[in-house]
Amino acid sequence: MPITTAVCPEINNPEVQRQVRAEQTNLLFHFGRWADLPAATGALVAAWLFWNDVSHVQLTAWVACVLGASLVRVVLGIGFSLRNIKVERSGAWTRSYFITTLLLAAAWGAAGVLLHQLATPLDEAFVALMLATVAAVAVPVLAPRISHYLAFVIVVLAPVIVRLLLDAQLLTTGIAGIVLLIGVFLGLLAWRASSQIEQGLRLRFSYAGIVDELTGESSQRTRVETKLREGEERMRRHSQSLLELAREASISTGEVRGALHVICEKAVQAIRCKRVSVWFMDDSSKALRCIHLLQDTHHDSKPDLTVEYARSPELFRMMQETRTCAISDVATDTRLQSFNAEYLRPNNVTAILGAPFRHGQRVRGVIFHEHTGSAREWTRDEASFASSLADFVALAITASDRRQAEERFRQLANYDRLTGLPNRALFMDRLTQALSKARRNKQNVALLFIDVDRFKNVNDSLGHHSGDTVLRTIGKRLLACVRAGDTVARLGGDEFTVILEECQNIETVTTICERILESATEPILLGETEANLTCSIGLSLSPGDGEDADVLLRNADIAMYKAKERGRNNYQFFTQDMHARAMLHQSRENALRKALQRTEMILHYQPQFDVDRGGVIGVEALVRWQDPEWGMIWPSEFIPLAEETGLIVPLGQWVIREACLQAREWHKALRGRPFHLAVNLSVRQFASSNLLDFVTTALRETGAPPEVLQLEITESLVMHDMENSIRVLQGLKNLGVRIALDDFGTGHSSLVYLKRLPVDVLKVDRAFVEQIAKSDQDAAIARSIINLAENLDLDVIAEGVESVAQMKQLRKGGCSKMQGYLFSMPLEKDECDRLLRGIPDFEI
Ligand code: C2E
Ligand code: CA
Ligand code: CA
C-alpha cells in the first residue's frame, strides 16, 4: 500500500481513526483502478447504442466528459500509486479522489438528462437501468468511503429521477420510483459494506496496536535482559579487575606510587571515565593534596593541587560521612561550590564519583572518578567498585606504613643513629659474610680499625654537640675514601671500621689508608671555631691475621693501638709480635686486677729536704707492684695500664687510704714537727666525681690531719678542664689538704691560669733540673719558675736532683726544697720510718 500505515495500541484512539481513514483512501484508489476502465468502456458502448437516436454532438460531448473524467482519475491513480505518502498527507488525496469521483458522477449523471431525446418508455427504462447499473458497479468501488458513494449515487441518479418525474407520466414516474428505490437500496448496501470495511480496518489497526504493544513488551523484556547481561558482564569485569588488584604486588608490599598507578588504570577501564585523581589528607586533616592524576593515558604523580578544609568544609564532611559520594551533576550540587569553581570546572569535570579511604576511623584520602563533558548518573555497581578501589588504596597505605615501621626498626637495629652508618651488629654480620665469600673465592679481606686521635678533647672542650658534628663529618669522609661496595661502620665512640673486600694487592689498602689519614686532617668547621684532628688506623688482613670476624677485629684494634703508640696520625699493619704484646697486656691487666685484690701493692716513700734548714720536710708516696712472679714492677709500667682499664680508681683509693694511715702515724711520731706526705693523683682519679667524698672519708676514718696530706696533680691534668679543676681543688683545699702542681714547667700553663689555681706548691720538673747545671737557658727557666712561685706566694720544690752541681744551682736560684737520688731513693716504709725517727735533724 502506498500510504505507510503504522500501528497504534488502542481501538478508539484518534491515531487508529487516522490510520483507518488513510487505509480507506488506499482502498478507494485500489478499487478505483479497476472501475475506471469498465466505466469508460460502458460509456463507449452506450454511445454506440444510442448513436442513431441522439444528437451526435451531444453524445460525443458526453462520452468525452466520461472519458475525460475517467482519464483524470486514471492519472490521479497513477500519481497516487507512484508516491510514498505519509498518513498525515492522506486527506488531500482523499479530497482529490472525491472531486474526480464527483466529476465522473456528474458525467454519468448528465447521461440521465442528455439521453431524454430517446423518449420511448423502453429507452427511458434502458437509460435508467444503465445508470442504476453504474451506481451498482460503484458500490464495491466506493464502499470504503460511504460519503463518496452517497455523493456519487446521488449525482448519478438524481438528474434522471428528476427528469423522469418532470415528465409527469405514469410510466416515467414509475421508472423514477424504481430508480429511486434502487438508489436507496444501493445506498444502504454501500453503507453496510462501508461500515463493514471500516469496522474491519478498525479492528485490524487496533489489533495491530495490540500486537505492536505485545511486540514492544517483548522487546522491552529483551532490552531488560540485554541490560542484565551487560550488568553481569560489567560485574564480571569489575570482579576481574578487583581480582587482579588483589594479586598486585605493589599493593601488598606497600609500594604506594606503583599501587596508585595500577589502581587508577583499573578505575579508568572499569568505570569508563576520563580522569581519576587520588588525594591524600594531610596530618592535620585540614587539607587534601592530589598525589596522583590519570588523565586519558597520562599519569601525573606531582599534580600540585590542594583543597583546603576552610574553603570546602562540605566536601570534607561528605568524605567523613559516606562510603561513596556519587554526584551526577556537579554544577547543581551546592556542597561542592568552591571545589567546583577551583578544580572541577576548570578541568571541565561535570560529574564525580568519590570514594574515601580510611585507616581505622580516620579518612586518609579520597579517590575521585571524574566524568567530563555532560552530566552522568553513576550506577550502584560503579559506586561499589569505586569503594573497593578505595579499599585497595587503604591497603597499600597500611602496607606502606608497616613497611616504613619495619624499615625504621631495621634502621634502628642495624644502623648508628648519629652517622647513619652500619652499627656494630650489622658490621659483624657484613664482616662474617665478606669473610666466607673471600674463603670461597680465595680472596683477602682487609679490615681497618680507625680511631680519632684526641677526640675526647673535642668533646670535653667544645661540647658533645661539636663532638657529634666531628663524628658525622668523619663518617662522611670515610665513605668518600672507599669504593662503592666497601662497608664503613661505626662501632661506637670515636671508633670506625672499614671492610675492604676483594683486595687484590696491598697497595690498594695502603692507598685507602693514606687517603683516610689525609682527609681526616682537613679542618672540621664547628660554628666559630674549627677542629684539627687526625686519626690512627690499625689494619688486619684475612686470612693471615684471622679467619673469623672477632679475631680479625681484635687484631685490627691491636694494630690501631700500635699506631697510637707510634705517635698517632699513621697506620700500622697487625703483626704477630703485636699480638704477643697485646696478650701480655691482657695478662697484665688480669694480673693487676688480681694484685689489687690480693694487695700486692706497696708504697715507697721518697723524702723531701730543705737544704737551708737541713731536714726532712716531707715524703712523696710512690706506688709499686710487688708481683710474686715478676718481682717489682714500676709505676711507669702499670699506671698507664691502670689508667686505661679504669683500675686506677680503686688503686688510687687504696694509695690514699694507705698514705693517710702512714701520715697519721708519722705525724704522731714527729710530734708536731712540720711534715707532709705527698700522694700522686691520676687523670681519672681527679676526674672521678667522688674524689672529694673519698678524701674526706679517708681523712676522717684514718684520723690523719688534713694539713699533712699533700695531693700532687700534674699541670696538664688541671689545664684540661680549668673550671672544673678549680672547683675540685678548692673543695680539697677547704678540707685543709695541700695541693702541689707536679711536673711544673712542662704544661705551658699561662700565668693567668696559674693565678686562679688554688695550689700551695710548685714542683719544678726533673727535665729542667737535669739541664740546670749544663744549660744556661734551662737554668734561667728554672730560676724564673722559682721567682714566679715566690711572686705568687707559693712553696717551690725541685725534683729529680741527682748531683751536687744541680743542688747548688737551685740553691743559688733561691730554691731550697729538693727531692732526688742525691738525697734519697724512694724508700720502703720501714726504712723511711727509721730515717724519720732516727735522724730527726738530718744534715747533709
Ligand atoms: P713523679 O710523680 O714525678 O714521681 C717522681 C718519680 O721520679 C718517681 O718515679 C721517682 O722514683 C723518680 N725520681 C726521684 N728522684 C729521682 C732522681 O733523682 N732521678 C730520677 N731519674 N728519678 C727520680 P717512680 O716511682 O717510678 O714514679 C713514676 C711516676 O709514677 C710518678 O712520677 C708518678 O707520676 C707516678 N706514680 C707513682 N706512684 C703513684 C701513685 O701512687 N699514684 C699515681 N697516680 N701515680 C703514681
Ligand atoms: Ca709526683
Ligand atoms: Ca714529678
PDB file of all heavy atoms in Angstrom, residues 600-621:
ATOM      1  N   GLU A 600      98.937  -6.724  96.481  1.00  0.00           N
ATOM      2  CA  GLU A 600     100.346  -6.904  96.148  1.00  0.00           C
ATOM      3  C   GLU A 600     101.013  -5.548  95.947  1.00  0.00           C
ATOM      4  O   GLU A 600     102.146  -5.462  95.503  1.00  0.00           O
ATOM      5  CB  GLU A 600     100.485  -7.743  94.874  1.00  0.00           C
ATOM      6  CG  GLU A 600     100.207  -9.211  95.118  1.00  0.00           C
ATOM      7  CD  GLU A 600     100.097 -10.029  93.826  1.00  0.00           C
ATOM      8  OE1 GLU A 600     100.378  -9.485  92.748  1.00  0.00           O
ATOM      9  OE2 GLU A 600      99.716 -11.196  93.920  1.00  0.00           O
ATOM     10  N   MET A 601     100.229  -4.481  96.202  1.00  0.00           N
ATOM     11  CA  MET A 601     100.762  -3.129  96.021  1.00  0.00           C
ATOM     12  C   MET A 601     101.435  -2.693  97.324  1.00  0.00           C
ATOM     13  O   MET A 601     100.945  -3.003  98.408  1.00  0.00           O
ATOM     14  CB  MET A 601      99.624  -2.155  95.710  1.00  0.00           C
ATOM     15  CG  MET A 601      98.867  -2.487  94.454  1.00  0.00           C
ATOM     16  SD  MET A 601      99.956  -2.253  93.056  1.00  0.00           S
ATOM     17  CE  MET A 601      99.143  -3.248  91.841  1.00  0.00           C
ATOM     18  N   ILE A 602     102.511  -1.971  97.136  1.00  0.00           N
ATOM     19  CA  ILE A 602     103.121  -1.359  98.335  1.00  0.00           C
ATOM     20  C   ILE A 602     103.484   0.094  98.006  1.00  0.00           C
ATOM     21  O   ILE A 602     103.574   0.456  96.840  1.00  0.00           O
ATOM     22  CB  ILE A 602     104.402  -2.092  98.806  1.00  0.00           C
ATOM     23  CG1 ILE A 602     105.360  -2.264  97.634  1.00  0.00           C
ATOM     24  CG2 ILE A 602     104.084  -3.411  99.485  1.00  0.00           C
ATOM     25  CD1 ILE A 602     106.779  -2.527  98.097  1.00  0.00           C
ATOM     26  N   LEU A 603     103.673   0.866  99.075  1.00  0.00           N
ATOM     27  CA  LEU A 603     104.078   2.259  98.846  1.00  0.00           C
ATOM     28  C   LEU A 603     105.532   2.425  99.273  1.00  0.00           C
ATOM     29  O   LEU A 603     105.956   1.895 100.303  1.00  0.00           O
ATOM     30  CB  LEU A 603     103.191   3.200  99.657  1.00  0.00           C
ATOM     31  CG  LEU A 603     101.750   3.388  99.175  1.00  0.00           C
ATOM     32  CD1 LEU A 603     101.033   4.406 100.054  1.00  0.00           C
ATOM     33  CD2 LEU A 603     101.715   3.836  97.718  1.00  0.00           C
ATOM     34  N   HIS A 604     106.296   3.114  98.413  1.00  0.00           N
ATOM     35  CA  HIS A 604     107.624   3.570  98.797  1.00  0.00           C
ATOM     36  C   HIS A 604     107.525   5.063  99.039  1.00  0.00           C
ATOM     37  O   HIS A 604     106.630   5.704  98.516  1.00  0.00           O
ATOM     38  CB  HIS A 604     108.647   3.242  97.705  1.00  0.00           C
ATOM     39  CG  HIS A 604     109.094   1.804  97.733  1.00  0.00           C
ATOM     40  ND1 HIS A 604     110.176   1.347  97.002  1.00  0.00           N
ATOM     41  CD2 HIS A 604     108.621   0.737  98.427  1.00  0.00           C
ATOM     42  CE1 HIS A 604     110.330   0.044  97.251  1.00  0.00           C
ATOM     43  NE2 HIS A 604     109.397  -0.353  98.097  1.00  0.00           N
ATOM     44  N   TYR A 605     108.454   5.557  99.862  1.00  0.00           N
ATOM     45  CA  TYR A 605     108.365   6.972 100.206  1.00  0.00           C
ATOM     46  C   TYR A 605     109.694   7.635  99.907  1.00  0.00           C
ATOM     47  O   TYR A 605     110.756   7.136 100.322  1.00  0.00           O
ATOM     48  CB  TYR A 605     108.025   7.115 101.682  1.00  0.00           C
ATOM     49  CG  TYR A 605     106.693   6.439 102.025  1.00  0.00           C
ATOM     50  CD1 TYR A 605     106.673   5.116 102.460  1.00  0.00           C
ATOM     51  CD2 TYR A 605     105.499   7.130 101.893  1.00  0.00           C
ATOM     52  CE1 TYR A 605     105.474   4.477 102.762  1.00  0.00           C
ATOM     53  CE2 TYR A 605     104.293   6.495 102.205  1.00  0.00           C
ATOM     54  CZ  TYR A 605     104.294   5.174 102.624  1.00  0.00           C
ATOM     55  OH  TYR A 605     103.108   4.551 102.909  1.00  0.00           O
ATOM     56  N   GLN A 606     109.636   8.687  99.136  1.00  0.00           N
ATOM     57  CA  GLN A 606     110.872   9.425  98.851  1.00  0.00           C
ATOM     58  C   GLN A 606     110.874  10.720  99.661  1.00  0.00           C
ATOM     59  O   GLN A 606     109.984  11.553  99.502  1.00  0.00           O
ATOM     60  CB  GLN A 606     110.990   9.722  97.348  1.00  0.00           C
ATOM     61  CG  GLN A 606     112.350  10.311  97.014  1.00  0.00           C
ATOM     62  CD  GLN A 606     112.560  10.509  95.521  1.00  0.00           C
ATOM     63  OE1 GLN A 606     111.598  10.750  94.784  1.00  0.00           O
ATOM     64  NE2 GLN A 606     113.811  10.418  95.083  1.00  0.00           N
ATOM     65  N   PRO A 607     111.881  10.861 100.497  1.00  0.00           N
ATOM     66  CA  PRO A 607     111.911  12.049 101.362  1.00  0.00           C
ATOM     67  C   PRO A 607     112.208  13.322 100.579  1.00  0.00           C
ATOM     68  O   PRO A 607     112.832  13.282  99.529  1.00  0.00           O
ATOM     69  CB  PRO A 607     113.073  11.755 102.320  1.00  0.00           C
ATOM     70  CG  PRO A 607     113.415  10.317 102.142  1.00  0.00           C
ATOM     71  CD  PRO A 607     113.006   9.936 100.760  1.00  0.00           C
ATOM     72  N   GLN A 608     111.730  14.397 101.128  1.00  0.00           N
ATOM     73  CA  GLN A 608     111.970  15.724 100.530  1.00  0.00           C
ATOM     74  C   GLN A 608     112.692  16.566 101.599  1.00  0.00           C
ATOM     75  O   GLN A 608     112.302  16.513 102.781  1.00  0.00           O
ATOM     76  CB  GLN A 608     110.633  16.370 100.141  1.00  0.00           C
ATOM     77  CG  GLN A 608     109.895  15.575  99.074  1.00  0.00           C
ATOM     78  CD  GLN A 608     108.486  16.096  98.825  1.00  0.00           C
ATOM     79  OE1 GLN A 608     107.919  16.774  99.697  1.00  0.00           O
ATOM     80  NE2 GLN A 608     107.941  15.772  97.669  1.00  0.00           N
ATOM     81  N   PHE A 609     113.673  17.305 101.142  1.00  0.00           N
ATOM     82  CA  PHE A 609     114.542  18.009 102.115  1.00  0.00           C
ATOM     83  C   PHE A 609     114.508  19.512 101.925  1.00  0.00           C
ATOM     84  O   PHE A 609     114.249  19.991 100.828  1.00  0.00           O
ATOM     85  CB  PHE A 609     115.983  17.551 101.931  1.00  0.00           C
ATOM     86  CG  PHE A 609     116.186  16.107 102.321  1.00  0.00           C
ATOM     87  CD1 PHE A 609     115.957  15.100 101.422  1.00  0.00           C
ATOM     88  CD2 PHE A 609     116.609  15.782 103.613  1.00  0.00           C
ATOM     89  CE1 PHE A 609     116.130  13.772 101.782  1.00  0.00           C
ATOM     90  CE2 PHE A 609     116.774  14.449 103.971  1.00  0.00           C
ATOM     91  CZ  PHE A 609     116.538  13.433 103.060  1.00  0.00           C
ATOM     92  N   ASP A 610     114.797  20.182 103.040  1.00  0.00           N
ATOM     93  CA  ASP A 610     115.045  21.631 102.943  1.00  0.00           C
ATOM     94  C   ASP A 610     116.537  21.804 103.219  1.00  0.00           C
ATOM     95  O   ASP A 610     116.990  21.606 104.347  1.00  0.00           O
ATOM     96  CB  ASP A 610     114.207  22.389 103.985  1.00  0.00           C
ATOM     97  CG  ASP A 610     114.316  23.891 103.797  1.00  0.00           C
ATOM     98  OD1 ASP A 610     115.383  24.338 103.299  1.00  0.00           O
ATOM     99  OD2 ASP A 610     113.340  24.598 104.109  1.00  0.00           O
ATOM    100  N   VAL A 611     117.258  22.105 102.138  1.00  0.00           N
ATOM    101  CA  VAL A 611     118.720  22.137 102.293  1.00  0.00           C
ATOM    102  C   VAL A 611     119.210  23.312 103.131  1.00  0.00           C
ATOM    103  O   VAL A 611     120.287  23.274 103.710  1.00  0.00           O
ATOM    104  CB  VAL A 611     119.446  22.116 100.923  1.00  0.00           C
ATOM    105  CG1 VAL A 611     119.316  20.770 100.263  1.00  0.00           C
ATOM    106  CG2 VAL A 611     118.941  23.231 100.035  1.00  0.00           C
ATOM    107  N   ASP A 612     118.392  24.383 103.198  1.00  0.00           N
ATOM    108  CA  ASP A 612     118.804  25.522 104.030  1.00  0.00           C
ATOM    109  C   ASP A 612     118.665  25.190 105.508  1.00  0.00           C
ATOM    110  O   ASP A 612     119.575  25.401 106.300  1.00  0.00           O
ATOM    111  CB  ASP A 612     117.935  26.743 103.709  1.00  0.00           C
ATOM    112  CG  ASP A 612     118.399  27.430 102.414  1.00  0.00           C
ATOM    113  OD1 ASP A 612     119.504  27.084 101.950  1.00  0.00           O
ATOM    114  OD2 ASP A 612     117.637  28.266 101.874  1.00  0.00           O
ATOM    115  N   ARG A 613     117.499  24.660 105.826  1.00  0.00           N
ATOM    116  CA  ARG A 613     117.232  24.349 107.232  1.00  0.00           C
ATOM    117  C   ARG A 613     117.871  23.014 107.619  1.00  0.00           C
ATOM    118  O   ARG A 613     118.038  22.698 108.785  1.00  0.00           O
ATOM    119  CB  ARG A 613     115.718  24.284 107.468  1.00  0.00           C
ATOM    120  CG  ARG A 613     115.151  25.705 107.628  1.00  0.00           C
ATOM    121  CD  ARG A 613     113.714  25.725 108.147  1.00  0.00           C
ATOM    122  NE  ARG A 613     113.396  24.548 108.939  1.00  0.00           N
ATOM    123  CZ  ARG A 613     112.392  23.723 108.641  1.00  0.00           C
ATOM    124  NH1 ARG A 613     111.654  23.917 107.547  1.00  0.00           N
ATOM    125  NH2 ARG A 613     112.148  22.696 109.411  1.00  0.00           N
ATOM    126  N   GLY A 614     118.116  22.191 106.588  1.00  0.00           N
ATOM    127  CA  GLY A 614     118.776  20.920 106.815  1.00  0.00           C
ATOM    128  C   GLY A 614     117.898  19.911 107.499  1.00  0.00           C
ATOM    129  O   GLY A 614     118.176  19.470 108.601  1.00  0.00           O
ATOM    130  N   GLY A 615     116.803  19.531 106.895  1.00  0.00           N
ATOM    131  CA  GLY A 615     115.965  18.486 107.478  1.00  0.00           C
ATOM    132  C   GLY A 615     114.917  17.986 106.517  1.00  0.00           C
ATOM    133  O   GLY A 615     114.686  18.582 105.460  1.00  0.00           O
ATOM    134  N   VAL A 616     114.301  16.817 106.880  1.00  0.00           N
ATOM    135  CA  VAL A 616     113.227  16.257 106.043  1.00  0.00           C
ATOM    136  C   VAL A 616     111.962  17.061 106.288  1.00  0.00           C
ATOM    137  O   VAL A 616     111.550  17.226 107.438  1.00  0.00           O
ATOM    138  CB  VAL A 616     113.009  14.774 106.384  1.00  0.00           C
ATOM    139  CG1 VAL A 616     111.875  14.197 105.562  1.00  0.00           C
ATOM    140  CG2 VAL A 616     114.271  13.973 106.178  1.00  0.00           C
ATOM    141  N   ILE A 617     111.400  17.537 105.229  1.00  0.00           N
ATOM    142  CA  ILE A 617     110.154  18.313 105.401  1.00  0.00           C
ATOM    143  C   ILE A 617     108.919  17.493 105.012  1.00  0.00           C
ATOM    144  O   ILE A 617     107.787  17.845 105.331  1.00  0.00           O
ATOM    145  CB  ILE A 617     110.184  19.610 104.572  1.00  0.00           C
ATOM    146  CG1 ILE A 617     110.569  19.284 103.120  1.00  0.00           C
ATOM    147  CG2 ILE A 617     111.115  20.631 105.192  1.00  0.00           C
ATOM    148  CD1 ILE A 617     110.301  20.395 102.152  1.00  0.00           C
ATOM    149  N   GLY A 618     109.160  16.391 104.298  1.00  0.00           N
ATOM    150  CA  GLY A 618     108.026  15.550 103.915  1.00  0.00           C
ATOM    151  C   GLY A 618     108.487  14.375 103.078  1.00  0.00           C
ATOM    152  O   GLY A 618     109.684  14.207 102.831  1.00  0.00           O
ATOM    153  N   VAL A 619     107.521  13.573 102.652  1.00  0.00           N
ATOM    154  CA  VAL A 619     107.828  12.438 101.770  1.00  0.00           C
ATOM    155  C   VAL A 619     106.798  12.370 100.646  1.00  0.00           C
ATOM    156  O   VAL A 619     105.681  12.842 100.802  1.00  0.00           O
ATOM    157  CB  VAL A 619     107.832  11.078 102.528  1.00  0.00           C
ATOM    158  CG1 VAL A 619     108.961  11.018 103.542  1.00  0.00           C
ATOM    159  CG2 VAL A 619     106.485  10.822 103.190  1.00  0.00           C
ATOM    160  N   GLU A 620     107.212  11.769  99.521  1.00  0.00           N
ATOM    161  CA  GLU A 620     106.228  11.524  98.441  1.00  0.00           C
ATOM    162  C   GLU A 620     105.988  10.026  98.363  1.00  0.00           C
ATOM    163  O   GLU A 620     106.946   9.245  98.263  1.00  0.00           O
ATOM    164  CB  GLU A 620     106.754  12.044  97.089  1.00  0.00           C
ATOM    165  CG  GLU A 620     105.775  11.733  95.951  1.00  0.00           C
ATOM    166  CD  GLU A 620     106.237  12.281  94.585  1.00  0.00           C
ATOM    167  OE1 GLU A 620     107.351  12.837  94.503  1.00  0.00           O
ATOM    168  OE2 GLU A 620     105.463  12.132  93.623  1.00  0.00           O
ATOM    169  N   ALA A 621     104.720   9.668  98.412  1.00  0.00           N
ATOM    170  CA  ALA A 621     104.374   8.244  98.328  1.00  0.00           C
ATOM    171  C   ALA A 621     104.386   7.820  96.863  1.00  0.00           C
ATOM    172  O   ALA A 621     103.753   8.459  96.030  1.00  0.00           O
ATOM    173  CB  ALA A 621     102.992   8.004  98.924  1.00  0.00           C
TER     174      ALA A 621
END
